[in-house]
Amino acid sequence: MLLFFKFGEVFTLPIVVLVSLMAQPRLMYALAKDGLVPSFFGKIDRNGNLMNGTVISGLLMVFIASFVPFNKLDDMISAGILICFSLTNASLVLMRLSSPTNKPYFLEKQIGLFGIFSFLLAYIIAHCAASAFGKGLAIVLCLFMTLTCLSIKYTCPESMNFGGQYSSFGPAGHREPAFFRAPFVPILPCTGTCFGPLEFSDAVRLLSRCDAFRGQPSF
């Protein structure tokens, strides 16, 4: 199983680095236009290339690849990808549902609470699953996560505007049929938000077991 993980890392790591390197200058350009990063990253040379963002992003990635150990680097990439998946699922709920009129920001608070429960559950499964206390705490967290998801489903109505209550891509109260639809909201996105940290914690626990088994002396 350890060999299987290493085989996947050899193929996925270059792809992730290549995709990140290609998209990073354009991302920094968009952030610079919004004023979130210095305008230096938004400058375009006479050929239409984002030279500043490309050079700085490339140098930063070369520095990280040169000085960060590979076994730490692939764990960071895997964790980052799973966190992005969890954030994407949470964003889907925020774009499709809205908070009740008498409870402002109720949906945002529930999504944040669900994310905290997910990471706590992943930590407990990775480090405390063998003890009775850890198992009991995991069951309690699963119950809280289920109640939070049901609270979102039966309390938060569907948003009339694409992008949620506080962000609209069209006139207020206008529902555009051309925008994408997502099934089983919020059950399916919440499930994905939960399984992202769980997959990472399970992989870390499996690799640690393999390393411990490999380091045991033979009799």
Side-chain angles (χ1 to χ4, degrees), residues 7-82:
F7 182 78
E9 291 168 358
V10 171
F11 283 92
T12 57
L13 186 58
I15 296 174
V16 172
V17 172
L18 179 61
V19 172
S20 301
L21 184 61
M22 293 176 62
Q24 191 63 36
R26 181 61 59 178
L27 175 61
M28 300 302 294
Y29 171 79
L31 293 174
K33 289 299 182 181
D34 293 337
L36 300 176
V37 296
S39 59
F40 172 81
F41 293 98
K43 294 183 179 180
I44 303 176
D45 63 7
R46 59 183 180 180
N47 296 322
N49 298 318
L50 300 170
M51 184 60 66
N52 296 337
T54 302
V55 172
I56 293 179
S57 300
L59 291 177
L60 181 62
M61 291 187 180
V62 169
F63 177 81
I64 294 175
S66 301
F67 295 98
V68 178
F70 181 79
N71 61 337
K72 304 296 182 182
L73 187 61
D74 63 339
D75 289 341
M76 292 169 58
I77 292 175
S78 299
I81 293 175
L82 292 174

Side-chain angles (χ1 to χ4, degrees), residues 120-139 198 201-202 205 209:
L120 288 177
L121 180 62
Y123 181 84
I124 290 173
I125 291 178
H127 299 281
C128 310
S131 64
F133 175 77
K135 294 178 181 178
L137 192 56
I139 293 175
L198 286 178
S201 65
D202 188 63
R205 183 177 58 175
R209 286 183 177 180

Side-chain angles (χ1 to χ4, degrees), residues 25-215:
R26 181 61 59 178
L27 175 61
M28 300 302 294
Y29 171 79
L31 293 174
K33 289 299 182 181
D34 293 337
L36 300 176
V37 296
S39 59
F40 172 81
F41 293 98
K43 294 183 179 180
I44 303 176
D45 63 7
R46 59 183 180 180
N47 296 322
N49 298 318
L50 300 170
M51 184 60 66
N52 296 337
T54 302
V55 172
I56 293 179
S57 300
L59 291 177
L60 181 62
M61 291 187 180
V62 169
F63 177 81
I64 294 175
S66 301
F67 295 98
V68 178
F70 181 79
N71 61 337
K72 304 296 182 182
L73 187 61
D74 63 339
D75 289 341
M76 292 169 58
I77 292 175
S78 299
I81 293 175
L82 292 174
I83 290 174
C84 288
F85 286 156
S86 298
L87 293 177
T88 301
N89 288 314
S91 299
L92 176 59
V93 179
L94 294 174
M95 295 180 72
R96 281 302 177 189
L97 302 178
S98 61
S99 300
T101 55
N102 59 341
K103 296 180 180 179
Y105 297 103
F106 175 81
L107 177 61
E108 289 78 1
K109 295 177 182 178
Q110 294 295 102
I111 289 295
L113 192 62
F114 189 89
I116 293 174
F117 287 155
S118 298
F119 281 97
L120 288 177
L121 180 62
Y123 181 84
I124 290 173
I125 291 178
H127 299 281
C128 310
S131 64
F133 175 77
K135 294 178 181 178
L137 192 56
I139 293 175
V140 172
L141 285 174
C142 288
L143 179 61
F144 283 163
M145 291 169 64
T146 302
L147 294 176
T148 304
C149 184
L150 293 177
S151 175
I152 294 174
K153 178 175 176 58
Y154 293 107
T155 305
C156 301
E158 184 178 358
S159 178
M160 292 294 296
N161 303 321
F162 180 79
Q165 183 177 4
Y166 305 102
S167 176
S168 176
F169 292 85
H174 176 69
R175 182 172 297 172
E176 177 57 55
F179 289 132
F180 73 92
R181 304 293 297 176
F184 306 111
V185 177
I187 304 298
L188 194 58
C190 286
T191 303
T193 303
C194 175
F195 276 103
L198 286 178
E199 289 176 1
F200 179 71
S201 65
D202 188 63
V204 171
R205 183 177 58 175
L206 180 60
L207 289 175
S208 63
R209 286 183 177 180
C210 292
D211 291 338
F213 179 77
R214 185 174 54 184

